[in-house]
Amino acid sequence: MVGGVGLLTGFPDGFEVGVSTAAYQIEGAIAEDGRGPSVWDTFSHTPGRIKNGDTGDVACDHYHRWPEDVALMADLGVDAYRFSIAWPRVQPTGSGALNRPGLDFYDRLVDALLERGIAALPTLFHWDLPQALEDQGGWLSRSTAERFAEYAGHVADRLGDRVHRWITLNEPVVHMADGYAFGGGAPGQALMFGALPVAHHQLLGHGLAVRALRERGATQVMITNNCSPVQPASDDEADVAAATLYDNFHNRLFNDPILLGAYPEFLESLLGDVIRDGDLAIISTPVDALGINYYNPMRIAASDSDLPFEQRPIEGVPTTAFGWPVVPDGLRDLLVGLRETYGSALPPIYITENGCSTDDGIGDSFRVDYLGGHLGALRQAIEAGVDVRGYYIWSLMDNFEWAEGYHQRFGLVHVDFETLERTPRDSYRWLQTALQERKS
Ligand code: FCB
């Protein structure tokens, strides 16, 4: 196989290439060393919620096999690793006493990464809320924002001597939509527009956490938003209006308050007194960078169902095993569009997730093409003047893909979920070649 020769030429000096994972998707060991239950434990153990009845009980068993996984990353040659910290492992009930063995786990992981010259980029919340907090209202409750900032501070107290860069939340829009609006993810509530307070409380938790982390010496704090460029399904006025509405709920609801200190007007009225005086000042505490997860654009039409918009397929492009359309140019358009919308308020950007699921085994030429195409689009965005500092592939290895269980495989490394054996795919070798070439 021809390696990824030339893949990384033309990117600025210091441009970071990394891989991403998340705690519940890889760690397993859900009841070990004092970890408390999370909403994802409860959800995955509820019959009918996850394909094949899969759970994250064992996942990739990363909690025990992490030295092997760090070695895989070191051999791959990545600059950085984005992982998430499981709140219920560190603070089993989401408030009060800390669980020292849980913190020790991340402490060892960080040391091992740094020893191998891999930068650590932890995400503090990737959807695995302690169940005890969910029982008190979860993100529908304002107090969860305060608990989150306290937890962030505790983690930084322990790791902050070595970790200076943090991501507060992963994809608050997806957590709100899947977890609380439609119910396809934990905690499985289907409140439709009643889920909106979850947006505000996550954003508030983010802002409070930015402050807690900075007080502890953090030099780079960001949030990771899932962003999609949105196109109307036709020129029809109703479709154009529906696409604008969708863009507001998916993108602007989470970018505007952080970058501009204000919600789009109609969303502010929908939120009503969920917003208290001073909240927007907290939420817009300056971030040092913006994390963006990009998978695909959205094509939206008007609808007269329960929701005023609906998704339409994007025709004429390949689709991943998941059925997601492959549109690399969408990444360039998204980034150029963000710069147009936010101008000088847009901080440097890191692509904190991009990748695809495939079912073509170890010879994953589909993934090689996917990643190559997206890196090309990213280079174009940089050439167009967008300040992008890094690109993290989802994912280092196959893992528990939420409601899809182990069915969707996103890894550069194949995982046999019977034996837990890890086998690098062609895409891993391809990226390895490109990273070696860049260093030489
Ligand atoms: C993102 C999630 C990540 C993973 C990818 C495929 O929305 O952040 O955990 O599941 O999708």
Side-chain angles (χ1 to χ4, degrees):
M1 180 201 51
V2 179
V5 175
L7 180 71
L8 298 173
T9 49
F11 284 93
D13 285 350
F15 185 82
E16 202 167 70
V17 177
V19 284
S20 281
T21 64
Y24 189 74
Q25 295 180 274
I26 64 166
E27 286 181 1
I30 54 155
E32 223 167 299
D33 292 341
R35 178 188 179 279
S38 80
V39 291
W40 268 97
D41 298 303
T42 310
F43 189 76
S44 66
H45 281 269
T46 307
R49 291 299 206 173
I50 314 288
K51 197 170 250 176
N52 303 324
D54 290 342
T55 71
D57 291 6
V58 177
C60 305
D61 195 31
H62 172 77
Y63 189 72
H64 300 113
R65 292 167 197 251
W66 61 270
E68 186 183 349
D69 297 334
V70 172
L72 278 165
M73 285 185 265
D75 287 349
L76 177 56
V78 282
D79 305 311
Y81 176 39
R82 172 182 179 241
F83 57 98
S84 85
I85 293 179
W87 187 349
R89 206 178 277 295
V90 165
Q91 198 178 30
T93 58
S95 59
L98 298 181
N99 178 41
R100 216 134 288 284
L103 275 166
D104 292 346
F105 169 70
Y106 297 108
D107 198 84
R108 288 192 295 271
L109 176 65
V110 164
D111 281 346
L113 291 168
L114 298 182
E115 270 164 32
R116 311 297 292 261
I118 302 169
L121 183 55
T123 301
L124 286 157
F125 180 71
H126 201 125
W127 307 346
D128 45 359
L129 192 74
Q131 182 62 44
L133 286 188
E134 181 57 28
D135 296 342
Q136 294 159 50
W139 286 107
L140 287 163
S141 158
R142 187 179 169 92
S143 60
T144 297
E146 286 150 19
R147 298 294 82 74
F148 175 66
E150 287 162 12
Y151 147 73
H154 291 313
V155 176
D157 283 340
R158 177 68 186 269
L159 302 180
D161 55 337
R162 285 149 292 152
V163 175
H164 310 290
R165 306 166 63 194
W166 303 91
I167 296 174
T168 54
L169 307 176
N170 178 68
E171 298 187 350
V173 66
V174 177
H175 191 52
M176 172 189 77
D178 285 1
Y180 293 87
F182 305 116
Q189 301 202 47
L191 305 170
M192 299 300 280
F193 289 107
L196 265 179
V198 170
H200 185 70
H201 295 146
Q202 286 184 94
L203 287 163
L204 184 64
H206 155 78
L208 291 168
V210 174
R211 294 178 176 196
L213 294 165
R214 274 214 215 300
E215 280 165 17
R216 290 161 175 85
T219 55
Q220 189 187 62
V221 187
M222 58 177 129
I223 185 169
T224 278
N225 279 339
N226 178 304
C227 294
S228 288
V230 184
Q231 45 184 264
S234 78
D235 292 341
D236 190 272
E237 222 176 276
D239 287 345
V240 173
T244 304
L245 198 60
Y246 183 87
D247 181 43
N248 272 279
F249 276 105
H250 190 92
N251 298 313
R252 302 200 67 143
L253 174 58
F254 296 90
N255 288 331
D256 281 21
I258 290 171
L259 301 179
L260 305 178
Y263 286 106
E265 233 166 83
F266 82 98
L267 287 170
E268 188 180 325
S269 4
L270 280 178
L271 279 161
D273 57 16
V274 170
I275 308 173
R276 299 207 191 144
D277 281 354
D279 284 0
L280 280 156
I282 294 170
I283 292 170
S284 59
T285 305
V287 286
D288 305 287
L290 179 64
I292 301 247
N293 292 353
Y294 170 76
Y295 287 95
N296 52 259
M298 298 297 272
R299 188 163 165 261
I300 296 295
S303 165
D304 44 22
S305 65
D306 285 356
L307 277 180
F309 41 70
E310 65 187 31
Q311 197 181 337
R312 289 286 168 80
I314 294 177
E315 314 283 355
V317 299
T319 51
T320 70
F322 221 138
W324 296 355
V326 179
V327 188
D329 286 353
L331 178 56
R332 180 198 59 213
D333 298 349
L334 170 71
L335 295 171
V336 170
L338 283 170
R339 205 190 37 162
E340 276 163 14
T341 306
Y342 297 103
S344 60
L346 187 69
I349 288 174
Y350 287 81
I351 304 303
T352 41
E353 285 181 28
N354 177 242
C356 62
S357 61
T358 62
D359 39 31
D360 55 359
I362 302 298
D364 58 344
S365 56
F366 189 94
R367 178 169 292 103
V368 168
D369 290 347
Y370 181 100
L371 297 175
H374 284 77
L375 274 163
L378 193 56
R379 196 190 287 112
Q380 288 173 10
I382 294 171
E383 282 162 7
V386 187
D387 184 0
V388 186
R389 305 273 174 96
Y391 176 77
Y392 287 65
I393 293 164
W394 184 272
S395 179
L396 168 65
M397 56 188 164
D398 296 340
N399 56 48
F400 177 80
E401 178 46 38
W402 310 115
E404 290 290 314
Y406 297 99
H407 190 67
Q408 297 296 338
R409 293 176 172 273
F410 278 86
L412 296 171
V413 174
H414 175 274
V415 177
D416 179 328
F417 289 106
E418 297 293 317
T419 63
L420 298 171
E421 190 188 345
R422 280 97 161 119
T423 310
R425 289 196 167 97
D426 285 357
S427 55
Y428 174 103
R429 301 288 173 213
W430 167 85
L431 184 65
Q432 188 179 44
T433 307
L435 289 164
Q436 277 163 1
E437 183 197 41
R438 193 185 57 165
K439 278 184 188 134
S440 63

